Amino acid sequence: MLVVVGCIACLIFSVIVFLVMNHKTNQIDEAVMNFALDHRTRVWTLAMKFFTEVGKAMPVAFICLMNYFYFSKDLFFANELLICLGVGMLVAYLFKITIKRERPDEHRLVQEKDYSFPSYHALGSGLIYFSIILELLSRGASYHWLGLLICVIFLVMIGYSRVYLGIHYISDVLGGWSLGITLACFVRLIYRLSI
């Protein structure tokens, strides 16, 4: 199952890379950006800034540690999360400096300096929250539905916050999610087979 999901996510990421490099996402990027701009409110802006902060490197690392010390007490899975995060950030950096897509330059509510594609925040949330989803599903306990719901909400809101705040296109976010899910699947598979 990991191979199937990982291959589908990889295929989606490849298609998005092709479309971004050939400027074929402009219409959808503009439409989603305009939707976000039209729905900006003070309350939503505060919420989106919160989700963006949660998606940064230190909070994500904290989530990994909390998963070990408070929730699962599973050093094996904590190591898997940290490996996922390290591999993901390296791979995303290589794509950023290869594709060199400029960020949206209007309507920004926060500032970022690096390239736009793929979104580090979306990639990190895809990696971490999808890995936690896989772990929860593998345990099969009935109470894990709440954990699954929280993971999905954070994954979606962190990605959307980047568009809402005007510093990413939706294609950057979709690229980050699909790459994150791809890496989460294959790191989990390789890590578990190697132990």
Side-chain angles (χ1 to χ4, degrees):
M1 190 64 170
L2 282 176
V3 173
V4 172
V5 173
C7 286
I8 291 170
C10 185
L11 178 62
I12 292 169
F13 178 70
S14 301
V15 169
I16 294 170
V17 168
F18 174 80
L19 294 174
V20 165
M21 292 186 74
N22 289 284
H23 309 287
K24 303 288 186 187
T25 63
N26 295 350
Q27 213 170 3
I28 187 76
D29 287 334
E30 276 185 41
V32 175
M33 182 68 76
N34 288 334
F35 174 85
L37 294 175
D38 290 343
H39 292 85
R40 278 183 177 174
T41 66
R42 187 174 171 205
V43 172
W44 267 114
T45 298
L46 288 172
M48 293 301 106
K49 286 183 176 180
F50 165 77
F51 281 108
T52 272
E53 288 301 315
V54 170
K56 288 186 176 178
M58 289 304 292
V60 167
F62 177 75
I63 289 164
C64 293
L65 292 172
M66 281 300 292
N67 182 72
Y68 170 65
F69 288 109
Y70 185 72
F71 297 110
S72 70
K73 300 203 182 323
D74 183 346
L75 186 58
F76 185 78
F77 180 56
N79 286 338
E80 181 183 315
L81 287 178
L82 293 173
I83 291 167
C84 267
L85 200 56
V87 169
M89 293 301 111
L90 176 62
V91 171
Y93 173 76
L94 294 174
F95 275 105
K96 278 182 180 281
I97 63 172
T98 301
I99 295 173
K100 296 183 178 176
R101 185 185 202 189
E102 295 297 327
R103 290 179 182 270
D105 57 0
E106 297 177 0
H107 311 294
R108 291 187 188 185
L109 295 179
V110 295
Q111 293 300 318
E112 297 283 355
K113 295 179 182 175
D114 61 343
Y115 292 115
S116 190
F117 184 89
S119 163
Y120 276 136
H121 280 67
L123 175 112
S125 64
L127 279 168
I128 298 304
Y129 293 111
F130 192 73
S131 293
I132 294 171
I133 287 168
L134 290 173
E135 183 68 12
L136 291 174
L137 290 174
S138 73
R139 295 182 183 201
S142 59
Y143 65 86
H144 287 324
W145 66 269
L146 181 59
L148 294 172
L149 181 62
I150 291 169
C151 286
V152 169
I153 289 170
F154 271 76
L155 192 150
V156 170
M157 295 306 287
I158 288 169
Y160 179 66
S161 74
R162 307 305 283 168
V163 178
Y164 181 95
L165 295 172
I167 46 178
H168 275 295
Y169 300 106
I170 191 62
S171 52
D172 301 330
V173 171
L174 295 173
W177 279 338
S178 56
L179 180 58
I181 291 170
T182 300
L183 294 173
C185 288
F186 288 112
V187 166
R188 184 178 180 89
L189 185 67
I190 292 166
Y191 183 62
R192 294 193 177 235
L193 288 175
S194 66
I195 299 301

